[in-house]
């Protein structure tokens, strides 16, 4: 965790929680995080049908409500999809792109992901680009190449002026929802590699200011250990974020680390 970069704690609800749960969630979480360090950015990525409720019940709070996906076209015959204009019309400016579940279950390739990133950034939205290797790729020893190619292809032709609206989440696929977390050293070393890949494309300054998160079975027990690492700037949290109290406990731990440094 490097205090000159934005520290982001983002919850990803996936296909969980109804609008009535969303109301209760926001009513609990919003007041609890009001006094947190201004260095922490708290995001919640909710299902589309929860967006309006989430926005309504988090109004005037510091939580940023985001979507878990978007399409690369403005409108048209794309049954079941959502456009950036639709999200923006509700006031949503944050979106996750390239989550491994989108890659696996919805056949999203780096090329599709690149088009979505391009569209979202051109629409003035902020993007979390998810990357990470499968267990097969890890066992084959090719995780560095895989992650590097996901970054290079995902950000292909993305102009450097947009990079302050891009954050990367390193999420080893074998760690997502499995209870198996990367060790803090494994996670930090991949995040360093990601930073050096960004540096190769965009230069040192941009690479040093890009927030890189870790995701994959983060919870209260392991969050501090992982997020304190020098090249990890926060976390993307699925299962452990579905309960507002549990998500808050993680935020609180990270907040304490920031406060101890006395730079708030
Ligand atoms: C995720 O959905 O991005 C994620 C990291 O999930 P989990 O924390 O449940 O592994």
């Amino acid at each position: 965790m490097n205090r000159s970069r934005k520290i982001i704690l983002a919850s990803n609800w996936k296909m969980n929680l109804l609008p009535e749960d969303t109301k209760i969630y926001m009513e609990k979480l919003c007041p609890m995080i009001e006094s947190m360090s201004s260095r922490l950015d708290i995001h919640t990525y909710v299902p589309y049908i929860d967006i309006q409720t989430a926005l309504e019940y988090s109004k005037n709070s510091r939580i940023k409500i985001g979507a878990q996906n978007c399409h690369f076209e403005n409108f048209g015959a794309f049954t079941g999809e959502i456009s950036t204009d639709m999200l923006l019309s509700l006031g949503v400016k944050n979106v996750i792109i390239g989550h491994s579940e989108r890659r696996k279950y919805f056949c999203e390739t780096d090329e599709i992901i690149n088009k979505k990133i391009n569209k979202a950034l051109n629409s003035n939205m902020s993007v979390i680009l998810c990357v990470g290797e499968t267990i097969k790729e890890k066992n084959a020893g090719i995780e560095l190449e895989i992650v590097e190619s996901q970054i290079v292809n995902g950000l292909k032709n993305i102009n450097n002026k947009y990079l302050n609206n891009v954050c990367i989440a390193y999420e080893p696929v074998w760690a997502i929802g499995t209870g198996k977390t990367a060790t803090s050293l494994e996670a930090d070393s991949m995040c360093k590699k990601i930073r050096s890949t960004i540096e190769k494309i965009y230069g040192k300054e941009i690479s040093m200011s890009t927030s890189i998160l870790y995701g994959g079975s983060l919870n209260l027990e392991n969050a501090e250990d992982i997020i304190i690492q020098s090249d990890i700037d926060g976390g993307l949290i699925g299962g452990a974020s579905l309960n507002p109290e549990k998500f808050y406990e993680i935020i609180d731990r990270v907040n304490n680390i920031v406060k101890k440094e006395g730079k708030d």
Side-chain angles (χ1 to χ4, degrees), residues 97 103 109-118 129-131 145-158 197 201-202:
I97 296 181
R103 293 177 190 259
T109 60
D110 283 338
E111 195 188 344
I112 293 172
I113 288 162
N114 175 248
K115 283 179 166 182
K116 291 182 174 200
I117 293 176
N118 198 20
L129 163 62
C130 297
V131 296
E145 291 96 304
I146 293 294
V147 170
E148 183 166 40
S149 76
Q150 288 171 338
I151 303 266
V152 170
N153 295 322
L155 296 179
K156 198 168 174 182
N157 298 327
I158 300 293
T197 304
I201 312 173
Y202 294 105

Side-chain angles (χ1 to χ4, degrees), residues 12 14 99 101 130 171 175-178 215-218 236-240:
N12 174 18
K14 313 191 187 201
H99 191 280
E101 287 149 17
C130 297
E171 300 206 297
I176 297 181
T178 58
S217 298
L218 265 182
L236 180 54
I237 306 160

